[in-house]
Amino acid sequence: MSVFSELPKHLVRYRPAGSAHLDDELKNLAEGKVFLQKLSLQNDQTEGRPQRLKCSTAELMDLSRRLIQGSGNTLGHSHELRQAGINRETTRTYLAKRRKWQKKFISIAPKHIRIACFSIETKDNEGYMWREYGSNGCGFRLHFSFNQDVKPNRKSFWIRTHYSHPRERRKISEAELLAAEFQINGANVFANKPSQWIGILQAFAACKPSKWAVEEELRLTKFSLSPSTKPKDSYIAVPPYSLSGVTFGWNADQDLINKVKQNLGDDLDYFFQQEP
């Protein structure tokens, strides 16, 4: 299954009025880019905290061997990940080290994940979205349309947000974390099944309480071992979407309208929202 096979034809993104970074955002939107915020800065403090599920020693021994075989020559012979033992005692020692790494990875991963939040276009949540994210009609809504001519960016992933009670969220197993460590160290173990990597990232980056389900959110997600702090590196293209239009809220002032139109040009469709 293609990573992009289930993406909707249209997405929207509500923007507030009076943003201190509006000029930068509009400049990048004109270039087809959006800002990706660090997951650790999200307002919901329960995000980025998946529950880890333990696996048996035998399961992890078997997986380690298959991962080592599948990584080929990507990892050097002296690499720590190639040092799994051939008996249970040495393997347990090896796995104890891995579990320490996994615990550390779970704690720091949100600092290395960036996201941009979009919503599926629907009339059912318009009032809520304008109120919560469009400054109660003072802001604007961006429209993105699917563009088959845009090639996917394998450094970023689209992830559908999972809404549930915290105890029922997407879990992440030690087996997945071990495979993720191989991936992060350069062994492209998910090359043929990118959905596996998406599943791991979803456990961190796209699990929210049920109360947010009305948002119908899709997230553009990027993981980086060394996330840059430079503002210009926080913007990314929106594959495979193109900005196609803007809707201004019923309370949007003329200065905002003029600024948006001047930056984004006359090729877009512009609309004006009536108060819901």
Side-chain angles (χ1 to χ4, degrees), residues 22-190:
L22 179 60
D23 289 341
D24 282 340
E25 181 174 13
L26 291 175
K27 176 184 176 182
N28 281 276
L29 280 170
E31 298 174 358
K33 300 176 182 178
V34 294
F35 183 79
L36 268 64
Q37 184 183 49
K38 289 183 179 179
L39 180 65
S40 57
L41 298 179
Q42 289 299 100
N43 56 9
D44 187 340
Q45 297 302 311
T46 64
E47 291 196 50
R49 299 173 182 268
Q51 180 180 338
R52 180 175 57 169
L53 302 177
K54 284 193 174 183
C55 300
S56 70
T57 301
E59 287 176 313
L60 290 171
M61 281 180 67
D62 178 64
L63 176 65
S64 296
R65 291 167 182 163
R66 287 189 283 114
L67 287 172
I68 291 168
Q69 182 178 9
S71 66
N73 298 321
T74 307
L75 303 176
H77 290 288
S78 61
H79 198 288
E80 184 182 13
L81 289 175
R82 296 183 66 93
Q83 304 308 306
I86 59 174
N87 58 58
R88 292 183 67 84
E89 182 178 354
T90 56
T91 298
R92 282 183 182 140
T93 301
Y94 167 78
L95 292 176
K97 294 180 180 180
R98 302 276 60 78
R99 282 169 178 153
K100 289 182 180 179
W101 180 89
Q102 291 170 2
K103 183 177 180 181
K104 180 179 179 181
F105 178 72
I106 286 176
S107 69
I108 68 172
K111 300 176 184 177
H112 293 260
I113 294 173
R114 286 184 177 273
I115 62 170
C117 302
F118 297 77
S119 288
I120 297 173
E121 192 172 37
T122 171
K123 296 289 185 181
D124 295 337
N125 67 358
E126 274 192 355
Y128 168 88
M129 297 299 285
W130 277 112
R131 182 174 67 253
E132 296 295 324
Y133 301 105
S135 300
N136 198 30
C138 294
F140 56 99
R141 179 176 61 204
L142 301 167
H143 299 259
F144 293 86
S145 298
F146 194 88
N147 186 344
Q148 292 181 325
D149 296 330
V150 179
K151 293 183 179 180
N153 182 345
R154 293 301 179 186
K155 294 182 179 180
S156 61
F157 300 87
W158 284 100
I159 301 175
R160 188 178 296 274
T161 300
H162 174 72
Y163 300 97
S164 66
H165 188 280
R167 288 195 298 267
E168 300 169 350
R169 291 187 181 187
R170 167 75 163 74
K171 309 298 191 299
I172 186 166
S173 70
E174 290 184 318
E176 288 178 308
L177 287 167
L178 182 59
E181 189 174 5
F182 271 77
Q183 179 88 6
I184 289 168
N185 278 273
N188 198 10
V189 295
F190 299 143

Side-chain angles (χ1 to χ4, degrees), residues 239-250:
Y241 288 92
S242 297
L243 182 63
S244 56
V246 177
T247 298
F248 297 104
W250 58 96

